[in-house]
Short mmCIF file of all heavy atoms in Angstrom, two decimals:
data_model
loop_
_atom_site.label_atom_id
_atom_site.label_comp_id
_atom_site.label_asym_id
_atom_site.label_seq_id
_atom_site.Cartn_x
_atom_site.Cartn_y
_atom_site.Cartn_z
N PHE A 239 -4.09 -15.14 0.02
CA PHE A 239 -3.10 -15.14 1.09
C PHE A 239 -3.88 -15.11 2.40
O PHE A 239 -4.54 -14.12 2.71
CB PHE A 239 -2.17 -13.95 0.96
CG PHE A 239 -1.16 -14.13 -0.13
CD1 PHE A 239 -1.38 -13.60 -1.40
CD2 PHE A 239 0.00 -14.86 0.08
CE1 PHE A 239 -0.46 -13.79 -2.42
CE2 PHE A 239 0.93 -15.05 -0.93
CZ PHE A 239 0.70 -14.51 -2.18
N SER A 240 -3.81 -16.20 3.15
CA SER A 240 -4.65 -16.30 4.34
C SER A 240 -3.76 -16.28 5.58
O SER A 240 -2.63 -16.74 5.57
CB SER A 240 -5.48 -17.58 4.29
OG SER A 240 -4.64 -18.69 4.40
N GLY A 241 -4.31 -15.74 6.65
CA GLY A 241 -3.63 -15.79 7.94
C GLY A 241 -2.44 -14.86 8.06
O GLY A 241 -2.39 -13.83 7.41
N CYS A 242 -1.44 -15.26 8.90
CA CYS A 242 -0.34 -14.36 9.28
C CYS A 242 -0.94 -13.06 9.80
O CYS A 242 -0.73 -11.99 9.24
CB CYS A 242 0.59 -14.06 8.12
SG CYS A 242 1.54 -15.44 7.59
N PHE A 243 -1.70 -13.16 10.88
CA PHE A 243 -2.46 -12.01 11.37
C PHE A 243 -1.57 -10.91 11.90
O PHE A 243 -0.51 -11.17 12.46
CB PHE A 243 -3.41 -12.48 12.48
CG PHE A 243 -4.58 -13.23 11.95
CD1 PHE A 243 -4.59 -14.62 11.96
CD2 PHE A 243 -5.67 -12.56 11.44
CE1 PHE A 243 -5.68 -15.32 11.47
CE2 PHE A 243 -6.76 -13.25 10.94
CZ PHE A 243 -6.76 -14.63 10.95
N THR A 244 -2.06 -9.71 11.73
CA THR A 244 -1.37 -8.56 12.28
C THR A 244 -2.42 -7.63 12.86
O THR A 244 -3.52 -7.50 12.30
CB THR A 244 -0.49 -7.88 11.21
OG1 THR A 244 -0.01 -6.66 11.73
CG2 THR A 244 -1.26 -7.59 9.94
N GLY A 245 -2.14 -7.06 14.02
CA GLY A 245 -3.12 -6.18 14.66
C GLY A 245 -3.28 -4.90 13.87
O GLY A 245 -2.32 -4.37 13.32
N ASP A 246 -4.51 -4.42 13.78
CA ASP A 246 -4.70 -3.13 13.13
C ASP A 246 -4.55 -2.04 14.19
O ASP A 246 -5.51 -1.48 14.68
CB ASP A 246 -6.09 -3.08 12.48
CG ASP A 246 -6.18 -1.93 11.48
OD1 ASP A 246 -5.44 -0.93 11.67
OD2 ASP A 246 -6.95 -2.02 10.53
N ASN A 247 -3.30 -1.81 14.56
CA ASN A 247 -3.08 -0.82 15.62
C ASN A 247 -2.48 0.46 15.06
O ASN A 247 -1.70 1.15 15.68
CB ASN A 247 -2.24 -1.39 16.76
CG ASN A 247 -1.13 -2.24 16.25
OD1 ASN A 247 -0.44 -1.84 15.33
ND2 ASN A 247 -0.98 -3.43 16.81
N ASN A 248 -2.93 0.75 13.86
CA ASN A 248 -2.47 1.94 13.19
C ASN A 248 -2.91 3.21 13.90
O ASN A 248 -2.17 4.19 13.96
CB ASN A 248 -3.08 1.89 11.80
CG ASN A 248 -2.30 2.69 10.88
OD1 ASN A 248 -1.10 2.50 10.78
ND2 ASN A 248 -2.96 3.61 10.23
N LEU A 249 -4.13 3.18 14.42
CA LEU A 249 -4.64 4.34 15.15
C LEU A 249 -3.76 4.61 16.37
O LEU A 249 -3.35 5.74 16.62
CB LEU A 249 -6.09 4.08 15.57
CG LEU A 249 -6.72 5.12 16.50
CD1 LEU A 249 -6.80 6.47 15.81
CD2 LEU A 249 -8.10 4.66 16.96
N ALA A 250 -3.44 3.54 17.11
CA ALA A 250 -2.62 3.69 18.30
C ALA A 250 -1.23 4.22 17.92
O ALA A 250 -0.71 5.15 18.53
CB ALA A 250 -2.49 2.35 19.01
N ARG A 251 -0.66 3.63 16.88
CA ARG A 251 0.68 4.02 16.49
C ARG A 251 0.70 5.46 15.98
O ARG A 251 1.54 6.27 16.37
CB ARG A 251 1.19 3.07 15.40
CG ARG A 251 2.67 3.25 15.15
CD ARG A 251 3.24 2.11 14.32
NE ARG A 251 4.70 2.22 14.37
CZ ARG A 251 5.53 1.31 13.94
NH1 ARG A 251 5.09 0.19 13.42
NH2 ARG A 251 6.84 1.49 14.03
#
Side-chain angles (χ1 to χ4, degrees):
Chain A
F239 285 96
S240 68
C242 292
F243 286 98
T244 171
D246 196 333
N247 40 47
N248 203 52
L249 172 63
R251 192 167 192 169

